[in-house]
Amino acid sequence: MPRADRLVEMIRILRDGRLHRAEDLAQRLGTSLRTVYRDMDRLIASGVPVEGRRGFGYRATAAVTLPPMNLTMTELEALHLGLAAVAQGGDSELSAAARSLSGRIDAVLPEDRDHPGGWSFATPPLGDAVAGFRHMSSLRAAIRARQKLQITMRDASDPMVLRPLRLDYWGRVWTLTSWSETTRGFAELRVDRIAALRVLPQLFVDEPGRTLQDLEAQRLAST
């Protein structure tokens, strides 16, 4: 499993708020204990809200805050991706200002870390985050309207028909939780890896086995 995918999967495991031993994470991810320690150090250094230590375990903590105000996930997304877009733009002065502001935000975030890249320039790459941002409006609208989507991922040639259920934000990665009518199962997709998205005219209603409550029940049963 590529490191970027492994880090995202690790965040998905930790987000239940429970304490996870490194040995258990290594077994679930099919990697070594040493790799789990390195990955966890990288997540913590990059600002992902995770706490713990070797020999004790790790768990996700509360959402990131910027003193003296608390940020909603949508506000945090707007701040992060807004800086990302400006930093990637052609205006050198604005790009420098975005990087400077990134460093100032990094200095006041509550997590202790020494990642040299700054808050807005941690894993995953900025370009990916900005690329995924163009889909957010369509995804939110489809979730509210309960409208089916046809989505093609970057690493797949065939599209999937999905029932979008929820957007989640973890460690600068937005994921879409959905029911896939193509695979007949739940799917969690990284928004930054969506290559093409088309809103379909069909609507959907809750059906047994295809709701968020069913997904949570499956997760509880597997722990």
Side-chain angles (χ1 to χ4, degrees), residues 84-126:
V86 172
Q88 292 288 322
D91 189 310
S92 60
E93 184 176 357
L94 286 177
S95 178
R99 294 174 185 275
S100 174
L101 181 55
S102 168
R104 295 176 64 182
I105 294 173
D106 189 56
V108 299
L109 281 171
E111 292 83 17
D112 294 327
R113 61 196 184 283
D114 56 2
H115 189 275
W119 168 69
S120 284
F121 304 96
T123 302
L126 270 182

Side-chain angles (χ1 to χ4, degrees), residues 51-100:
E51 66 178 16
R53 63 181 185 274
R54 300 185 182 189
F56 178 70
Y58 300 90
R59 68 180 181 87
T61 60
V64 176
T65 61
L66 288 177
M69 59 183 170
N70 295 324
L71 296 181
T72 67
M73 289 296 98
T74 304
E75 290 168 342
L76 185 60
E77 173 206 354
L79 183 59
H80 170 222
L81 293 177
L83 282 175
V86 172
Q88 292 288 322
D91 189 310
S92 60
E93 184 176 357
L94 286 177
S95 178
R99 294 174 185 275
S100 174

Side-chain angles (χ1 to χ4, degrees), residues 29-51:
L29 295 169
T31 190
S32 67
L33 184 61
R34 184 177 179 181
T35 297
V36 169
Y37 285 145
R38 284 202 309 264
D39 287 350
M40 199 62 66
D41 289 343
R42 182 178 179 84
L43 287 177
I44 294 173
S46 66
V48 176
V50 173
E51 66 178 16

Side-chain angles (χ1 to χ4, degrees), residues 3-22:
R3 182 175 63 182
D5 293 340
R6 190 173 64 245
L7 292 175
V8 172
E9 184 61 28
M10 190 174 291
I11 293 171
R12 288 176 178 169
I13 294 172
L14 293 173
R15 70 183 184 182
D16 61 6
R18 300 176 182 176
L19 191 68
H20 293 269
R21 299 189 311 156

